[in-house]
Amino acid sequence: VFDHFFFLAETSKEHDRILREMDRLSKKNNELLERNKLLERSANLTEFLGEDERPFVVAKIIGYDATQWSKVVFINRGTDHKVEKNLSVVTDAGVVGHVIHASLKSSKVLLITDSRSAVDSLFQETRKSGITVGTGEEICEMTFVPISAKVSIGDKVISSGLGGVFPKALMVGKVVNIVKQNQELFQVIKVAPSVNLSHLEEVVVLLPSKEEE
């Protein structure tokens, strides 16, 4: 009886040990999977820069402040990493926003959907210009597009390079709605951002080039 009891006790200990080891290996495996996914996302983020020699830094999203009045995210890079106010923040899909405040280790980024945001823009095909402004919602609006300008659903909108914040030819979004009123001078154009701003994990901050420093 005693031998059987001790055998069961040892078996129970071994079972607990195996469970702990399995738990450790599972956590390790998850860590490796997340690390690989991070490397893949980082590669995708920077691959689109191609031959552009502009310096950049990859940052993680560490916080959101998305309310009815504010569309802001916080990143884990700051002045210690050469991040400063008014730098462009992008992903491989396009424009995210720009830095509005930088501390030593973190920064605050205003998303292009925020009502305070404005991106000087062009229609990629026709080269007609306008300004893409945030509405506080998920969709932006392109303003100051003449009523006579030819615009179609699906037209791509890119940054014009004017305004001193966003470099030229960054993808901003696509036209999803157009309203023309004959008595108005400008069209009302809705633009869906090319970046899914509600599912950001990492972004790229475009640092000043040597000519700009």
Side-chain angles (χ1 to χ4, degrees):
V1 172
F2 280 110
D3 287 344
H4 184 64
F5 171 78
F6 286 120
F7 174 76
L8 291 176
E10 289 299 320
T11 301
S12 178
K13 289 180 181 178
E14 180 65 12
H15 180 262
D16 290 342
R17 187 192 68 77
I18 292 173
L19 287 178
R20 288 195 299 272
E21 181 65 12
M22 288 177 64
D23 185 55
R24 185 186 70 81
L25 292 174
S26 177
K27 290 179 179 178
K28 187 68 175 178
N29 186 54
N30 285 334
E31 289 174 1
L32 291 174
L33 285 174
E34 284 301 312
R35 188 176 300 173
N36 286 336
K37 288 180 180 179
L38 172 60
L39 291 174
E40 289 175 5
R41 291 195 303 269
S42 297
N44 290 334
L45 279 175
T46 56
E47 186 178 358
F48 81 100
L49 294 171
E51 299 300 322
D52 192 345
E53 297 181 356
R54 176 184 288 271
F56 63 87
V57 61
V58 176
K60 290 183 180 180
I61 302 298
I62 57 174
Y64 273 88
D65 180 15
T67 66
Q68 183 179 355
W69 301 278
S70 176
K71 303 291 181 184
V72 170
V73 295
F74 299 88
I75 59 176
N76 68 338
R77 293 291 184 265
T79 53
D80 278 356
H81 312 90
K82 299 184 179 181
V83 174
E84 58 189 50
K85 187 177 180 180
N86 287 333
L87 293 184
S88 305
V89 180
V90 302
T91 72
D92 54 318
V95 175
V96 170
H98 70 280
V99 177
I100 56 173
H101 176 75
S103 56
L104 291 176
K105 304 292 184 182
S106 64
S107 298
K108 189 175 182 179
V109 177
L110 188 74
L111 301 180
I112 60 172
T113 49
D114 191 287
S115 57
R116 296 166 289 175
S117 174
V119 183
D120 209 299
S121 306
L122 294 171
F123 292 106
Q124 192 172 46
E125 292 298 324
T126 65
R127 315 309 286 181
K128 296 293 184 181
S129 64
I131 299 177
T132 303
V133 297
T135 62
E137 305 294 336
E138 294 181 359
I139 301 296
C140 297
E141 194 171 286
M142 194 166 176
T143 60
F144 301 113
V145 178
I147 197 74
S148 59
K150 184 179 179 181
V151 183
S152 302
I153 301 296
D155 283 356
K156 294 180 180 179
V157 177
I158 62 173
S159 57
S160 69
L162 302 176
V165 176
F166 299 96
K168 190 173 183 177
L170 295 175
M171 186 61 65
V172 176
K174 288 185 179 181
V175 175
V176 293
N177 191 40
I178 305 164
V179 176
K180 289 186 177 183
Q181 296 178 341
N182 291 331
Q183 66 271 27
E184 299 294 334
L185 294 175
F186 303 106
Q187 304 178 50
V188 178
I189 298 173
K190 300 294 184 180
V191 176
S194 57
V195 178
N196 187 343
L197 299 173
S198 61
H199 290 86
L200 292 172
E201 292 189 69
E202 294 88 25
V203 294
V204 171
V205 182
L206 301 179
L207 302 179
S209 60
K210 291 182 180 180
E211 293 77 9
E212 297 171 333
E213 290 179 347

